[in-house]
Amino acid sequence: MNKYTVQGATGEFEVVIGLEVHAQISTQSKLFSGSSTEFGAEQNTQVSLVDAAMPGMLPVPNMECMRQAVRTGMALGAQINKYSRFDRKNYFYADLPQGYQISQLYHPIVGEGEIEVTLDEKDPDSATKKIGVERIHVEQDAGKLMHDQHPTSSYVDLNRCGVALMEIVSKPDMTSPKEAGAYVKKLRSILRYVGSCDGNMEQGSMRADVNVSVRRPGEELGTRTETKNVNSIRFLMQVVEIEARRQVDLIEDGGEVVQETRLFDPNRMETRSMRSKEDAHDYRYFPDPDLLPVELDDAFLEECRSSLPELPDEKRERYEKELGLTAYNAAVLTAESETSYWFEELLAQSVERTGKSDKDLAKQCANWLLSELFGALNKLSVTLEESPVSPSQGAELLSLVADGTISGKIAKDVFEIMLETKQGAEQIVEEKGLKQVSDTGAIEAAINTIIAANEDKVAQYRGGNERLLGFFVGQTMKAMQGKANPQIVNEILKKKLDS
Amino acid sequence: MTDITELGIAAIRDGVAGGDFTAVEVAEAFNANIAAALALNAFIVETPEIALNMAKSVDDDRAAGKELGKMAGVPIGMKDLFCTEGTQTTAASNILGGFVPQYESTVSANLWKAGAGMLGKLNLDQFAMGSSNETSAFGNVISPWRIGGGNNAPLAPGGSSGGSSAAISARLCPAATGTDTGGSIRQPAAFTGITGIKPTYGRCSRWGVVAFASSLDQAGPMAHDVRDCAIMLESMAGFDPKDSTSLDLPVPDWEAALNSNLKGKKVGVPREYRMDGTDQDILDSWDQGIAWLKDAGADIVDISLPHTKYALPAYYIIAPAEASSNLSRYDGVRYGMREVPEGANLQDMYAATRSAGFGAEVKRRIMIGTYVLSAGFYDAYYTQAQKVRTLISQDFKAAFSECDVILAPTTPTASFPLGDKDKDPLSMYLNDVFAVPASMAGLPAMSVPCGLDKDGLPLGLQIIGNMLDEQSVLNAGLAIEERAGFTARPDKWW
């Protein structure tokens, strides 16, 4: 793969990218209070006395949040810190009732790890790259200000205030928009496998701060800017591109990149300065005296480890080696946890119904899922979770093909009907009389009629035009309304024509 | 019949249980004393109706033959740092003006559960920052004590629990809650001739107590004598899952185990507490205390707490640092005072609200705290102070390998006239020089009255115990109490 560079008037520039991903931890209640974390509730209905920072209120850590952070760290092969501590980050803002955010600066719960990304997921032989993870720490989210509700006042919604976030800090190991995109995609996939974050970027449960700097090849790292709260992978890649371009132009015009916080405006496709280093807050971090250090024992860590599911990289390898799937299919099936769980359920149910081995059925299941089902879902514009057909219904259909009850072609029609009527495959096949005919007598009779009606073509075939076999197969299937067992049709036709 | 307001917790509890008088009679008697003592300014809010209602429910329970709590029928004063559901809670600051909590602090809830009643919310130094009760937004509390001989200068009741100390000393309540961050129970107790104990950090839940410095704040009882403190502490203490720093331990039966025979006990006398500037009267009372404990059967050992002199400076870094952050929530956005000047934006509102809402001493400590946590100063101040704190804890740990309790003065002087030190923060801070080390180490410590100085003002002796060993502190306190026979009381002038 070509190295990504930004071409300036005076030469090429390399780009260096580091990401801070904020992932909302999937828990029922907030990091330090019992309030619900459900998305979309009416404003200020999920706010406890602690969240509103009433006088005398105290935080109590929700250990489930720590557990999910530890499991995430383990999934990244990261160092787990048995001793961690919460610190206060002090600043005033109306969406921050305490006047400080409880975070982990000095002693984060997870240390260094790494993520292996595939740079081109469409290409099974694509290069891979390891991106370092610096740390993961756990912290509170802030509330939300609304400036459009009143002509002169702002409103604040504290529902999100105190919700647990993991901040996953990468090393500055990425050098192109594509790498940055692949990193976030892979990270999101792992979080969803682990179950520690739903990865839903539209709802804000995952967002990234993007650090970008440029330099001429071989030079020291340039000054970086940080673009805050980027909430889609597409935007993230655009931010890298736009920000790198802006920095290169600035440098070539004799200017200097200033270390600052910027905002991305997707409508105008530009980043804008939010505050410079001079205006940066002095956050006055110090250990939160309301909270004891978090000390994790071996039993806790062991539970975290043993409750981890099979992760995408291991899964992909198993699909290739044990199920005999192509590298491409294995990659696509494992990229999202939902797809792989759907596939595994489909396969397991098919095995149960047919008594065949999973290796025998894996390819058929994979192909059907990736082409037929995904095609249908695409047309319906729904996600896999919203699929009108369940894995068990899919298995019912595929088993009918596997045991010869219907042909693959009929299966496509049956599937169409399933999507429309929500009926089961067996019922549809039964009611519509779609069972494949394997009765050699009936097939032979049809073939005899066709041969008799097409003597010229029989002669051409026998004269060496073997491609005409397809014509005879087609005619036979047509006569049999598509229900003839194609294998038997082939056998009888060959016997008759070749004799 | 004796005047009920002369009685303490144990006598009232026993009197109500035995039918000598009703809880309502008790509440009425103290309500009357409070109404007649407005000159002391001990209360911010009086709640006579609440006191009567709570008393009535105790009388009803007794009539119904129900089991009565440890403090059934005992009305108390509640320091206005404890959030009380439905009753204004201000921490003596304008910034919380008119704030009425919808929740009850764990400590006050525990006390109500034990059958105690609430006479009102007691005045204090604003946000518990002060040693003379001169920083309250509701005016100074005046000590019931006077020097006498024609000198009627109003004296400091101590601080920050100055409303509590004045009210108990003047018999406006038999007992009151206090909180102690760096001496705020012990110093006012010493100034007014009453008894007060700060238990081990974590014994009493901090939930619902307006925070000053979280790692130091600890609630405790203030009362007439050691037994009353033991009873009340039993009712206040206990594990609270809502406070992460709360100790998950059973509450000992301190009252039942009171024992003033100190045979076989070792009492440490720290040589570093003999400081310049300490009154001769104080030094004499300390020697007297040593003699009393010897008389109670204890062995006296000379001990060293080498880092004592660094305790006060380190305290005045750590406590303001935590306070500067804890007080950030008072921003005018959600409750309490809000000042919005014409055309103000959010930052302007913060500045206006906090400028108007906080008193000078609170602002001073917020500024100090903000400074010591700032980039470039953090290591030199905050980190260094934390190291000192560790060394102080180690000093005590080493000392308690040689002794069971430590005896020291509570304060370097007796009470002083209001206005004497409020322009000089450092001399004010020095008042807590003997109290702060135990706070920094989270140890239980108590002040018991031991006599009067040359001006006729009360003096206190301090007993510091090992972690969780409140019992030894109470026992040594009882031994002093029995020998001191402290019966002096202020002449009623109010």
Side-chain angles (χ1 to χ4, degrees), chain A residues 49 52-61 88 90 92-94 97-98 100 106 282 284-287 289-290 292, chain B residues 83 99 103 206-209 214 241-245 322 325-326 328-329 334-335 350 354 370 373-375 378 382:
Chain A
L49 297 168
M54 300 304 282
M57 291 301 100
L58 298 172
V60 176
R88 291 185 184 177
N90 294 283
F92 284 99
Y93 205 54
Q98 293 167 144
Y100 53 85
Y106 297 108
D282 180 352
R284 291 167 284 123
Y285 278 100
F286 76 110
D290 283 332
L292 300 174
Chain B
C83 290
F99 175 67
Y103 48 93
R206 292 184 296 114
W207 194 88
V209 187
S214 310
K242 291 187 288 190
D243 174 359
S244 304
T245 61
E322 293 182 12
S325 177
N326 281 338
S328 295
R329 63 186 57 198
R334 298 168 313 286
Y335 48 78
Y350 288 150
R354 291 165 66 83
T370 303
L373 290 177
S374 297
Y378 180 83
Y382 186 80

Side-chain angles (χ1 to χ4, degrees), chain A residues 4 17 176-178 180-181 210 212 227 230-246 264-271:
Chain A
Y4 177 85
I17 307 150
S176 71
K178 206 165 189 178
V210 188
V212 176
T227 306
V230 179
N231 64 358
S232 84
I233 291 173
R234 190 162 60 92
F235 287 168
L236 165 86
M237 293 166 68
Q238 287 169 349
V239 163
V240 174
E241 245 180 274
I242 291 166
E243 187 51 25
R245 180 82 253 168
R246 187 190 70 85
F264 178 54
D265 181 344
N267 296 317
R268 303 172 60 174
M269 287 296 274
E270 62 178 28
T271 64

Side-chain angles (χ1 to χ4, degrees), chain A residues 207-499:
Chain A
R207 45 192 200 264
D209 298 343
V210 188
N211 289 281
V212 176
S213 66
V214 298
R215 63 176 170 192
R216 292 178 206 274
E219 283 185 357
E220 293 285 297
L221 282 175
T223 303
R224 69 187 161 86
T225 62
E226 180 181 14
T227 306
K228 287 275 193 195
N229 280 329
V230 179
N231 64 358
S232 84
I233 291 173
R234 190 162 60 92
F235 287 168
L236 165 86
M237 293 166 68
Q238 287 169 349
V239 163
V240 174
E241 245 180 274
I242 291 166
E243 187 51 25
R245 180 82 253 168
R246 187 190 70 85
Q247 292 184 12
V248 167
D249 291 348
L250 190 65
I251 292 167
E252 294 201 317
D253 286 350
E256 229 176 84
V257 177
V258 214
Q259 189 178 334
E260 62 182 354
T261 308
R262 299 179 71 84
L263 272 183
F264 178 54
D265 181 344
N267 296 317
R268 303 172 60 174
M269 287 296 274
E270 62 178 28
T271 64
R272 278 200 298 273
S273 179
M274 203 168 126
R275 55 171 185 264
S276 71
K277 198 183 171 188
E278 288 74 52
D279 313 326
H281 293 111
D282 180 352
Y283 290 119
R284 291 167 284 123
Y285 278 100
F286 76 110
D288 192 323
D290 283 332
L291 293 162
L292 300 174
V294 180
E295 291 179 76
L296 306 176
D297 61 25
D298 291 335
F300 182 88
L301 296 179
E302 184 43 44
E303 191 285 325
C304 289
R305 199 176 300 282
S306 63
S307 67
L308 276 184
E310 187 181 32
L311 295 164
D313 288 349
E314 307 161 27
K315 232 184 231 307
R316 198 182 58 214
E317 203 179 313
R318 181 168 64 84
Y319 285 8
E320 277 187 63
K321 289 208 171 122
E322 291 177 24
L323 298 179
L325 296 183
T326 63
Y328 176 76
N329 277 1
V332 179
L333 285 173
T334 54
E336 292 295 338
S337 53
E338 287 77 16
T339 316
S340 75
Y341 295 150
W342 218 100
F343 168 71
E344 287 176 15
E345 185 62 22
L346 176 71
L347 184 57
Q349 298 253 2
S350 301
V351 166
E352 199 180 306
R353 282 174 175 275
T354 61
K356 296 188 180 182
S357 77
D358 54 5
K359 202 172 172 173
D360 286 341
L361 295 168
K363 195 178 157 202
Q364 190 196 358
C365 288
N367 286 339
W368 180 79
L369 194 159
L370 294 178
S371 51
E372 300 301 318
L373 181 65
F374 273 16
L377 296 179
N378 231 344
K379 257 190 233 159
L380 296 170
S381 302
V382 295
T383 66
L384 187 56
E385 285 119 312
E386 300 158 340
S387 166
V389 172
S390 70
S392 137
Q393 288 170 315
E396 185 181 322
L397 175 65
L398 292 185
S399 308
L400 292 175
V401 179
D403 66 12
T405 309
I406 57 171
S407 66
K409 187 172 178 305
I410 291 286
K412 289 184 196 213
D413 300 335
V414 174
F415 182 49
E416 290 284 324
I417 300 169
M418 285 168 67
L419 289 171
E420 269 170 39
T421 65
K422 315 258 186 289
Q423 282 179 304
E426 279 172 14
Q427 192 191 353
I428 293 167
V429 167
E430 193 63 43
E431 282 178 9
K432 306 240 175 216
L434 297 175
K435 257 191 195 154
Q436 184 162 264
V437 178
S438 301
D439 172 356
T440 47
I443 296 173
E444 202 167 343
I447 287 175
N448 285 341
T449 314
I450 288 159
I451 286 179
N454 295 285
E455 278 180 0
D456 51 337
K457 295 217 165 55
V458 174
Q460 284 175 30
Y461 177 85
R462 288 184 176 149
N465 189 352
E466 292 195 0
R467 280 161 59 200
L468 277 167
L469 180 64
F471 166 78
F472 288 107
V473 172
Q475 290 295 309
T476 312
M477 292 304 277
K478 198 176 161 192
M480 299 290 295
Q481 289 153 325
K483 290 182 286 186
N485 183 326
Q487 217 176 329
I488 296 171
V489 170
N490 262 324
E491 274 169 27
I492 297 175
L493 264 176
K494 273 198 173 165
K495 202 168 71 190
K496 296 234 176 228
L497 291 171
D498 292 348
S499 65

Side-chain angles (χ1 to χ4, degrees), chain B residues 213-268:
Chain B
S214 310
S215 74
L216 295 154
D217 294 346
Q218 187 56 209
M222 298 169 77
H224 288 301
D225 59 28
V226 171
R227 176 171 301 273
D228 285 0
C229 281
I231 296 168
M232 187 162 164
L233 184 56
E234 283 176 32
S235 301
M236 295 169 72
F239 174 59
D240 180 5
K242 291 187 288 190
D243 174 359
S244 304
T245 61
S246 168
L247 292 167
D248 190 0
L249 293 170
V251 178
D253 196 345
W254 288 303
E255 185 195 7
L258 283 175
N259 177 3
S260 59
N261 180 352
L262 302 185
K263 212 167 164 52
K265 296 284 180 188
K266 288 190 175 126
V267 175

